[in-house]
Amino acid sequence: MGYAIRTENLIKRYKDKTAVAGLTLTVNEGELIALLGVNGAGKTTTVKMLTCLTKPTEGRAEIMGCDVVKDSENVKRLVGVSPQDTSVAENLTVKENLEFMADICLPKEKSAAAVEKTIKAFSLEEFKDKKAKLLSGGYKRKLSIAMAIIGDPKVLFLDEPTLGLDVLARRQLWREIEALKKNMTIILTTHYMEEAQALADRIVIMNEGKVMAIGTLEELENMTGRKGLEDVFISIAEKTA
Amino acid sequence: MKRTMAFAKRNLIEVFRDPLSWIFCIAFPIVMLIIMSIVNSAIPKEAGNTLFRIDNLAGGIAIFGQMFIMLFTAIAVAKDRSGAFLTRLYSSPMKSGDFVWGYILPMLLTAVIQVIVSLVAAVVISLISDYSLSIAGLLLAVVAVIPSALMFSSIGFLFGTFFNEKAAPGLCSIIISLGAMIGGIWFDVEGVGGFMYKLGRCLPFLYATKLARAAITLNFGVKEFLLPLGVVVFAAIVLTVLAGIVFNSRMRADQR
């Protein structure tokens, strides 16, 4: 199994603030990695650099062997992004939103089949003719993720996918994400411990732009001598405070 | 091209599903056409004011309507920029040209529909007021106002790229008021003369109005048709290229 993502000393500075301070990370193909941290930890900036939305100040990053700066056109064909804010076309129906993304990301002959497949995979049949602005928060997020995967990306970035959702909608979305794990590499940012614990193969704990720890839950528990991700996180956060 | 058309289709649907588009882009120009025709009928013939006669009015209203296309382009771009929708598209294989034409093409189509509706309404009014309009002139006008539609869409695009969702519509409203005044839609700027006319000659709005009126009356004079056509086409090309450059640099700035 090869690497889906490799970063070496990735740094992002905004004037006097360092948002990401030397991220070195390797993600295997098919892995689900959770970037865990409080607000301002550098999770979203990391996702932005890896999806060509912002350029690194220093260091390098590759997606499936393609450099995010020098080969951004290819990187954009390889990734799917579901941004933190719900990013759907409000006046378009669910089906029209998916058709739009399929037309952008896929050859014409594959679009229609991809739309039908995605509607089915995300159980959106009942809502496919409903305007996006009329969907509940949970279904909007579901649609946002469906739009991110319709182009059949190799690497999927989910930035705080369940932020602000109620517990039922969150659990439902977890099931959708679980189902996607088989087909692609996923980078998920979250500040919900239970989300990282439930979904991730490995967890990256970030604080103030730095990676504080990387590993499976078991490895992190052994590292800190604590049980459960919340205690592990607190232990690491307190050490670095 | 495929991505441009996909984005254009999305923007066209957004425009057509917004009731305000119908009110401002279609209904409002017709209402103005009717009101100003009533005003015209109240002006005594001895006054010699032909500005609101249907052949002059129809051209002015066609350009006035296009100013609202500018407003809607600005709102569409600014609204998308304020949300995360463009963030998603920036990380897709779409290029800056796909964005620029994806916004402008549906607005051009809307502008063509708008001018056809306005001119059909003008024909109805001309029949009622017993003044005959040339069908050839009306058909020519539909084509002749396309460069000004491109020009207004590009101005709207620039406003939407530079300013946010709150500022862009306000600034466009200033352009609409200013453009309608110095563009000679509601009064004879040439007759007024002075600073107003000088300013009008420096900006493309007056030429756009002149061109539309000349097309309707099949007046192919240099001053009436050819010069305004040249100015409007030049302004449309410059503003569209500028819109592309500005959007591209904004995209790059966002990625810093």
Side-chain angles (χ1 to χ4, degrees):
Chain A
M1 192 180 286
Y3 297 124
I5 300 171
R6 283 177 90 154
T7 73
E8 275 174 35
N9 195 32
L10 203 61
I11 296 172
K12 182 68 190 179
R13 286 191 206 97
Y14 294 103
K15 290 182 181 167
D16 53 346
K17 191 183 182 305
T18 302
V20 175
L23 178 75
T24 298
L25 180 70
T26 305
V27 180
N28 297 318
E29 276 184 58
E31 228 182 347
L32 192 155
I33 292 280
L35 301 182
L36 184 68
V38 294
N39 290 336
K43 308 183 298 286
T44 298
T45 308
T46 302
V47 169
K48 280 186 172 177
M49 284 192 282
L50 295 175
T51 54
C52 309
L53 286 170
T54 189
K55 282 183 182 152
T57 313
E58 279 178 47
R60 51 177 286 144
E62 285 177 359
I63 304 284
M64 308 298 291
C66 299
D67 190 283
V68 295
V69 178
K70 292 177 194 154
D71 202 3
S72 60
E73 275 193 35
N74 273 329
V75 170
K76 287 177 179 183
R77 288 176 216 280
L78 292 165
V79 302
V81 187
S82 177
Q84 198 174 101
D85 300 315
T86 308
S87 53
V88 298
E90 299 277 338
N91 273 322
L92 267 61
T93 64
V94 167
K95 193 177 178 191
E96 285 166 346
N97 266 290
L98 292 170
E99 282 170 346
F100 167 58
M101 285 310 291
D103 287 344
I104 283 175
C105 302
L106 292 170
K108 202 177 176 184
E109 62 276 11
K110 288 186 178 175
S111 292
V115 170
E116 289 310 318
K117 191 180 151 194
T118 311
I119 286 174
K120 208 173 167 189
F122 281 78
S123 310
L124 288 165
E125 292 96 334
E126 198 186 325
F127 306 96
K128 67 178 183 180
D129 296 321
K130 203 170 180 179
K131 280 185 193 171
K133 67 179 175 188
L134 301 174
L135 295 174
S136 66
Y139 272 94
K140 266 191 192 175
R141 288 291 166 86
K142 217 175 182 185
L143 174 60
S144 183
I145 296 173
M147 287 167 76
I149 65 122
I150 199 160
D152 197 18
K154 298 282 178 224
V155 184
L156 175 66
F157 292 88
L158 302 174
D159 195 3
E160 311 256 9
T162 62
L163 187 70
L165 297 186
D166 63 53
V167 68
L168 291 176
R170 182 177 300 165
R171 284 298 164 104
Q172 200 183 2
L173 214 50
W174 284 6
R175 286 195 286 274
E176 312 286 356
I177 295 168
E178 278 281 1
L180 292 173
K181 266 174 82 171
K182 291 172 271 178
N183 307 319
M184 57 192 75
T185 307
I186 302 175
I187 304 293
L188 175 141
T189 77
T190 183
H191 55 239
Y192 296 123
M193 310 291 157
E194 69 277 23
E195 189 161 285
Q197 193 167 339
L199 296 171
D201 298 316
R202 282 193 299 153
I203 297 157
V204 178
I205 297 178
M206 293 183 76
N207 194 25
E208 293 178 349
K210 293 179 190 138
V211 172
M212 311 316 301
I214 306 176
T216 61
L217 178 60
E218 200 182 347
E219 285 166 353
L220 294 174
E221 283 175 340
N222 291 338
M223 196 190 297
T224 56
R226 303 284 180 96
K227 274 276 168 209
L229 187 56
E230 193 166 333
D231 282 345
V232 167
F233 182 80
I234 290 166
S235 163
I236 291 169
E238 278 173 349
K239 268 185 204 164
T240 55
Chain B
M1 192 63 186
K2 186 171 75 84
R3 292 185 187 109
T4 303
M5 296 317 288
F7 191 48
K9 186 181 162 193
R10 173 261 170 177
N11 290 327
L12 191 67
I13 295 172
E14 291 269 7
V15 170
F16 281 3
R17 288 195 183 151
D18 184 352
L20 283 177
S21 312
W22 291 95
I23 293 166
F24 282 103
C25 291
I26 306 292
F28 191 54
I30 295 174
V31 169
M32 290 305 289
L33 201 61
I34 294 166
I35 290 171
M36 299 321 284
S37 294
I38 294 167
V39 170
N40 185 56
S41 66
I43 298 172
K45 278 193 177 147
E46 301 78 61
N49 186 347
T50 58
L51 191 69
F52 298 144
R53 201 174 62 199
I54 195 65
D55 55 337
N56 278 326
L57 187 62
I61 292 289
I63 300 304
F64 184 61
Q66 287 185 346
M67 292 179 182
F68 288 93
I69 298 287
M70 168 183 70
L71 174 70
F72 276 86
T73 313
I75 292 172
V77 178
K79 201 173 166 186
D80 279 350
R81 279 186 50 239
S82 69
F85 191 67
L86 278 192
T87 307
R88 179 194 286 284
L89 299 183
Y90 284 165
S91 64
S92 78
M94 279 180 72
K95 299 199 171 82
S96 66
D98 297 323
F99 287 102
V100 176
W101 288 108
Y103 280 116
I104 289 178
L105 285 176
M107 294 305 172
L108 281 183
L109 182 64
T110 310
V112 169
I113 294 169
Q114 181 191 56
V115 76
I116 290 171
V117 171
S118 298
L119 293 180
V120 167
V123 169
V124 174
I125 291 168
S126 75
L127 292 173
I128 295 165
S129 59
D130 209 18
Y131 187 92
S132 67
L133 286 171
S134 156
I135 297 299
L138 295 171
L139 291 174
L140 178 65
V142 174
V143 180
V145 298
I146 290 174
S148 52
L150 179 62
M151 178 182 82
F152 283 115
S153 299
S154 297
I155 297 171
F157 189 91
L158 282 166
F159 275 103
T161 306
F162 273 122
F163 303 104
N164 64 27
E165 213 183 335
K166 284 179 185 167
L171 289 162
C172 281
S173 302
I174 294 171
I175 298 288
I176 291 172
S177 306
L178 185 77
M181 272 200 292
I182 61 170
I185 293 171
W186 304 130
F187 59 87
D188 179 12
V189 185
E190 282 189 68
V192 170
F195 176 73
M196 201 72 125
Y197 182 48
K198 279 182 189 162
L199 184 65
R201 280 170 58 193
C202 296
L203 295 168
F205 310 121
L206 179 60
Y207 298 98
T209 314
K210 274 186 164 187
L211 177 63
R213 284 176 177 155
I216 289 172
T217 53
L218 293 170
N219 181 350
F220 298 114
V222 173
K223 210 179 146 201
E224 290 79 15
F225 189 87
L226 294 176
L227 177 68
L229 178 66
V231 171
V232 175
V233 167
F234 178 73
I237 292 169
V238 168
L239 287 163
T240 308
V241 171
L242 191 65
I245 293 168
V246 167
F247 190 80
N248 205 13
S249 69
R250 264 286 154 124
M251 249 179 103
R252 285 174 196 274
D254 288 345
Q255 290 170 358
R256 265 177 218 146

